[in-house]
Each structure stands twice: as structure tokens, then as C-alpha cells.
Amino acid sequence: MDNGVPNYSYDLDEAVRDGYLCPYKTLQYHSKIMERGAKWDDLSEKEREELERPWSYEKGLAGIDPDEDYHRDIIPQEIFKYLFNTDTIDKVLMELMEKGLKVKSGEEIGKTIIFAMNHHHAELIVERFRILYPEKGDGYCQLIDNYVSYAKSLILEFEDPAKNPQVAVSVDMLDTGIDVPSVLNLVFFKCVKSKIKFMQMIGRGTRLCPKIFGTEDKKEFYIFDWCGNFEYFSVNSDGATPVNVKSLTERLFALRLDIAFALQSAEHQEQEENRRLHDGLKNILHGQVDSLSMARIDVRAHLKTIEPYRDREAWVCLSELDVAELKGIAHLLPRPKENEAAKKFDVLMLYLQLEMVDSTVKADNSRASVIKIANLLEKKATIPAVRERMETIREVQTADFWEHCTLDSLERVRLELRELVHVLAESRDERKFVINIEDAISLDAVAAPVTLQATYEERVIDYLAKHTDSEVLRKIQNFEQLTADDVNELQRIFWEELGTRSEYDKATSGRRYNNNVAAFIRVIQGVDRKKALAMYARFIKDSDLTGEQEQYLKEILNYLSENGDLLMSDFMEFPLNRNKWRDVFGEHFVGLKNFVNELHNVIS
């Protein structure tokens, strides 16, 4: 506990037992159409008529004669992405209004957040609510997402128990970062694959709220799960680990950030092409952050995070904590009007680049999509711009290209083809059709339980982010001597409070100096290069550095950021053994040795 407030290591069950948060009850629903789709043979004549428009559209795409008979089954994956079924939405809303927790002696539904799949889905939910419940007025159920210009004022009104909207339909914007104690109902009308995000979304309902039912306090809240999220996390306890991204702009920012972070290692910095890609990515990323306008209220709210990254020097060697912080402000980035198809192609190519530098990433689907795009472009050879790039278009369709491709060749393909993809015929994903086919729903008696505990690394990052004023962490950042008590306290926090010693060992497996918690913190948090260089200057009595000495010191700090600690013996091993340290530092070599020893000693 921090001053009576639950912290990073405090899971929901503990906080509920101690009376700091509200528990939830889950209503686990099943929708036949969302889970199994619909067979053409099972549809009524009227329902088949509902599908005439999308089927006519598909015939046009496929070049089928308009008079020719065409039909197919509906698959679950296209529901609320391509085909938007109003009957399913109506049933979701009616279940909420009938079974949801209510206020004002049961006259009004309590404050409710409906998590929608996408903007069009959210728009249709609001539209259907107003058709089903016209007596409530337009303000009762409102859409709150990044497409709504006055979303911030709507959030403020939603936070006020006395004001509408009573039901907020959100796409990403209300998943995290809002504080509305009066929320009584959460409706998961979307699948969530990230466990940490799922925890954050559930957290929207956990706040206590006194006297919400007149004389009674809030004792619980309801979760309506329509997409099997609780079932998913009961089987996949940690969830998936996708890049935590949303819009195309955010996805591209996160992908570039992950690639640039991976390219910081000596293995990649030694290769000129990879180093050039690394520098280019960081220039793009820095430019995006630096363009954030302080005139925006939401940007000013994140001032403490944003300001350090306006300095290009802060990007020289990013830490894992830096990466996490930067991803946390990605939703604030300006979204310039660019060719959407080109940006989607960028996403595919960046996933392929990330696969080359991160062994945990598999980009087989992206590879298949790029090959398919090239195949379609080859059929558009009458367009001059396509004809100019025909060699590249054919190249990416060969097995030889993928067998020998490099980061540089992937970047070349991205740049040469990104402006061509818009010439392809409009894809089905870009068209949306509203249909009305009867859905069958069912309600489980009890939803599968989920243990809502963050992973060890998530708890570490959360701890470091929330304890920037810690005296021990300040010492580590400032290269000040740790005491035996400091070291013992760090071990207690990382081996007992944040998790177990075995969890720590697993998180640090394969790292050098993995027994030193302070070194692990340096790896996660990064090192302050300006302070390190100022420390070195004391050892050489403020003598000026040559350009070569400055470059060598940069390599030392890169090594320190990657490994957390170093000894003079490390200079005998790769990658530090490539450099001529004695020749370059000359009379200052003794000062360099003292500097390296001090970097080690202060955390030992």
C-alpha cells in the first residue's frame, strides 16, 4: 500500500478483501453469430434479402456476372468488421438495460461503459440504443472515441453522476486513465488479447462510491462479457503479448520504437545499413514526440513524460522503461492525413523488420500479405508508376528474396511499393454493411475466474515508474554509492515484495550480473549519460575529450545500459575488445580505469 492506495503489487482480490476496491460479478454471454457465424441454408428469405447488398458488392469485386447466383456462409471473423448485425446489438443492449445495476430506485441504468470493437461498431451501438430507448433522449447514450472532437468534455460529463451520458460507448479512449467511481456496469463487446489491458479495463469499475444507491454504498459492479474474454484468460493466464497499439499512427510508432530499441545492440550498430536504419527511425520518432503541441490539454497532462524526449540526446540509448513510457503517450501523437493504404503497408513491412531483430515475433501473415499485394500489383502493369517498380514487385514474389532478405532490402521494398498499394481495388475490409439477422444468445451461470495479477516484469516497470522519488533509485541514477542497507532493501523489494527470487532469476536469465538488483534496474531504467560523462570528467580533471574518446565512452555507456554493470576484465571480451583503449586515452587511461571501477563500485 502507498498512503492507503493500492499499488503495483496489490492484486484485485487483496484490494477487495482489504476494502479498498469493489469486486465484480460477471455475466458471460454467448452469441451464435459472433461465435459460429451463420449458414446460408439456415437463413430465412427475409434474412437472405438482407445480404443482397454485400453479395452484389462481392460479385463486383470478383468479376462475377451481376445476374449470376452468388451466396456463401457468414463467418464469425467478419461480424462487426465487415457485416454489422443490428439484432446482436439490440440483444446486447436489452440485456444490459434489463439485468444491469440501476440507480434512482431502479429507474435508471447505472453509469455504464460499453467497450466496442471499432468506430463504426460504436456508432451503430449508439444509433440502436436511441432507436430502442427514444424516451431517454440523445444525450443518454454517447459515443466517446478519438473521432469525436468534443470527447474530453463528454468524459467530464460522464464522470459527473448527475449528468448524462449515462451510457458511454468507447473505442479505446475509456479503456484506461479515467476515474469514474459511479461506474456500475462494464460491457465487453470486443475481444481483448492483452492481459494487462484487460486488467486496466476491469479497473474502470473497481472504485468505491459511497451513497450511490441513496443511503447504500457501491458494493460491486457487473461485467457483461460477450466475447469470451474471461474464458480466454482462464486458459491463457498471461494473455497474448501483441504490441499495445491502436490507430495506424500508434501502431507504426510502437513498431518503429521496438525496432529502434533492438537495433541499439553492438551486433547491429557494427553494420552500417542497420545503424543507418536505427538513426532514421529515431529521427522519425523524436520528430513525432517533439511535434506534440502544448496548447492541447491532454498533452499538458503528460508534460512530465513528454518533455525529456524533446531532447534528441534522450534518444541515443533508450531503456526498456523509456520504451514503455513512450508507448504510453503514443495515443497523443498527431495523426496527419496520409494515404491510409500506404500506412497499412508500412505496418506489414515493419512487422517483417521486427521479426528479423526479435526472435519472439512471427510475421508469417505479414509476409503472405506482402506477396499477395505484389501479385495484385503485377496485374496493374498498365499504370506507369506500377510498371516502373515491376522489378521489385516480381522480386518480392520469389522465395530467393525472402531467404536472403535483410533489414535494408525490406526497407527498400517498403519505400518503393508503399505509394502504389492505393491503386489496388478497394478491399472488402474497407466496406461495411449493416444487416439484420436474428441472433441466438445464451447466458452462462458462472464465468471462468481470472487471476488478475501482472507479470513480474510488468510489476517491475510499474514500480520503477511510480517510485521515481525513491532515495535508492535516485542514488542509482546519480551514480552514488549504495549502502549495504540499500542493497538489502532492493533485494527485499525485488525478491519478496514484487515477486519471488525465482521470478527475478527467470526475468534476468542470460543477463550478465544478474545477481545484482541495481544492475538489473540500470538495464530496465537506463543510465543518465550526461551524469556519467560529468562523473568521468572529474577523473580526468575536466580535460577536453577528443572525438574518438567521446565515441569510445559512448560505447562504454551503451554496454552499461545493456548489461547494467561492467568490470575492466570486460574490456578483454567482445564487443569492447575491438577498441584500442590505451592508445586512444593515453595519459587518461588511468582516469578511464578509475571511472569504470567507480561505475561498478557504487552498486556493489
Side-chain angles (χ1 to χ4, degrees), residues 2-44:
D2 292 331
N3 299 319
V5 179
N7 62 21
Y8 57 91
S9 63
Y10 207 54
D11 69 23
L12 180 59
D13 290 340
E14 289 178 283
V16 168
R17 283 196 301 270
D18 292 342
Y20 291 102
L21 295 178
C22 280
Y24 60 83
K25 287 187 177 178
T26 305
L27 289 81
Q28 179 73 61
Y29 285 90
H30 297 278
S31 154
K32 180 181 177 183
I33 283 182
M34 285 198 290
E35 293 181 6
R36 287 177 281 167
K39 299 287 186 183
W40 173 260
D41 292 341
D42 295 338
L43 300 179
S44 68

Side-chain angles (χ1 to χ4, degrees), residues 12 15-16 19-24 181 183-184 202 205-209 217-221:
L12 180 59
V16 168
Y20 291 102
L21 295 178
C22 280
Y24 60 83
V183 165
L184 293 176
I202 287 176
T206 57
R207 289 296 306 277
L208 302 175
C209 188
D217 300 341
K218 176 180 173 182
K219 292 183 175 62
E220 62 188 8
F221 65 100

Side-chain angles (χ1 to χ4, degrees), residues 234-272:
S234 69
V235 175
N236 305 275
S237 60
D238 290 328
T241 54
V243 180
N244 187 19
V245 289
K246 298 163 187 175
S247 67
L248 278 174
T249 298
E250 291 171 86
R251 293 170 68 190
L252 288 168
F253 183 82
L255 283 166
R256 287 185 172 117
L257 197 54
D258 286 335
I259 296 167
F261 179 73
L263 290 177
Q264 292 179 153
S265 69
E267 171 193 357
H268 295 292
Q269 289 296 306
E270 289 175 337
Q271 301 177 51
E272 183 180 349

Side-chain angles (χ1 to χ4, degrees), residues 307-325:
E307 281 306 297
Y309 298 107
R310 291 192 189 277
D311 182 355
R312 183 61 178 82
E313 284 298 307
W315 295 78
V316 171
C317 189
L318 297 171
S319 68
E320 291 184 43
L321 189 59
D322 293 333
V323 171
E325 280 190 336

Side-chain angles (χ1 to χ4, degrees), residues 24 26 28 188 198 202 223 225 227-235 447-450 452:
Y24 60 83
T26 305
Q28 179 73 61
F188 281 82
F198 187 54
I202 287 176
I223 296 177
D225 184 8
C227 296
N229 292 293
F230 280 86
E231 184 178 356
Y232 174 81
F233 287 110
S234 69
V235 175
V450 176
L452 297 173

Side-chain angles (χ1 to χ4, degrees), residues 338-351:
E338 294 181 60
N339 184 329
E340 183 182 356
K343 290 172 76 172
K344 287 181 177 178
F345 187 73
D346 287 343
V347 169
L348 294 175
M349 297 306 299
L350 288 173
Y351 265 120

